Amino acid sequence: IQSADLSLITDMAAQINSQYGSIEYAPISIYYQDIELSEYYALLQVADCFISTSERDGLSLSPLDFVLCQEFSEKRSPIVLSEFTALSGSMSTSILINPWDHLSIAQAINTALTMSTEEKHHRHEVK
């Protein structure tokens, strides 16, 4: 990530955290270091949503890692996935987005975070 991009990302995260967060809760966490694989899987297990806005993708298995980790959780959190990822055609219950359409990304994230528990479970049960 370029320095200017990282600065923009951290500024936006700080604005969101100050508006929607509290002392006990920060909606966005940014990690600047590599983490152990076990920590990565633990984060996937407790995540409220998985978001991939790739503009071009080979075969990233991260969405599948997320689905597997969510199997060990009762949350069954939703996936927001770029239509340009290799897995978008096979992950029919994910919320597909165009990564160039910022409004649709915001709407998809809102949909994912406000989705009912029943809908989340239904999307994970569909094969």
Side-chain angles (χ1 to χ4, degrees):
I1 295 180
Q2 299 290 332
S3 177
D5 292 337
L6 186 57
S7 177
L8 179 63
I9 291 168
T10 55
D11 288 347
M12 288 172 48
Q15 288 176 349
I16 292 168
N17 285 340
S18 68
Q19 184 171 354
Y20 299 103
S22 65
I23 292 175
E24 300 90 23
Y25 171 70
I28 298 178
S29 299
I30 299 175
Y31 296 95
Y32 297 103
Q33 72 280 350
D34 291 334
I35 58 175
E36 297 293 325
L37 192 58
S38 60
E39 292 173 320
Y40 171 70
Y41 289 146
L43 289 171
L44 290 180
Q45 186 175 355
V46 300
D48 293 321
C49 181
F50 181 89
I51 304 168
S52 173
T53 58
S54 299
E55 297 163 356
R56 184 174 37 173
D57 185 7
L59 182 59
S60 171
L61 298 179
S62 296
L64 297 177
D65 289 342
F66 179 76
V67 170
L68 182 60
C69 290
Q70 288 287 303
E71 290 296 318
F72 296 100
S73 166
E74 286 299 314
K75 293 177 78 166
R76 303 292 196 270
S77 299
I79 298 172
V80 176
L81 194 59
S82 167
E83 61 189 17
F84 300 122
T85 60
L87 289 173
S88 66
S90 32
M91 298 190 76
S92 61
T93 60
S94 61
I95 301 168
L96 294 180
I97 51 103
N98 178 337
W100 299 104
D101 184 353
H102 298 126
L103 181 59
S104 73
I105 294 171
Q107 291 170 339
I109 292 170
N110 183 62
T111 299
L113 294 177
T114 59
M115 187 179 290
S116 71
T117 303
E118 295 79 24
E119 177 71 14
K120 290 177 187 179
H121 282 262
H122 172 73
R123 285 174 179 262
H124 273 264
E125 290 171 6
V126 174
K127 301 294 182 202

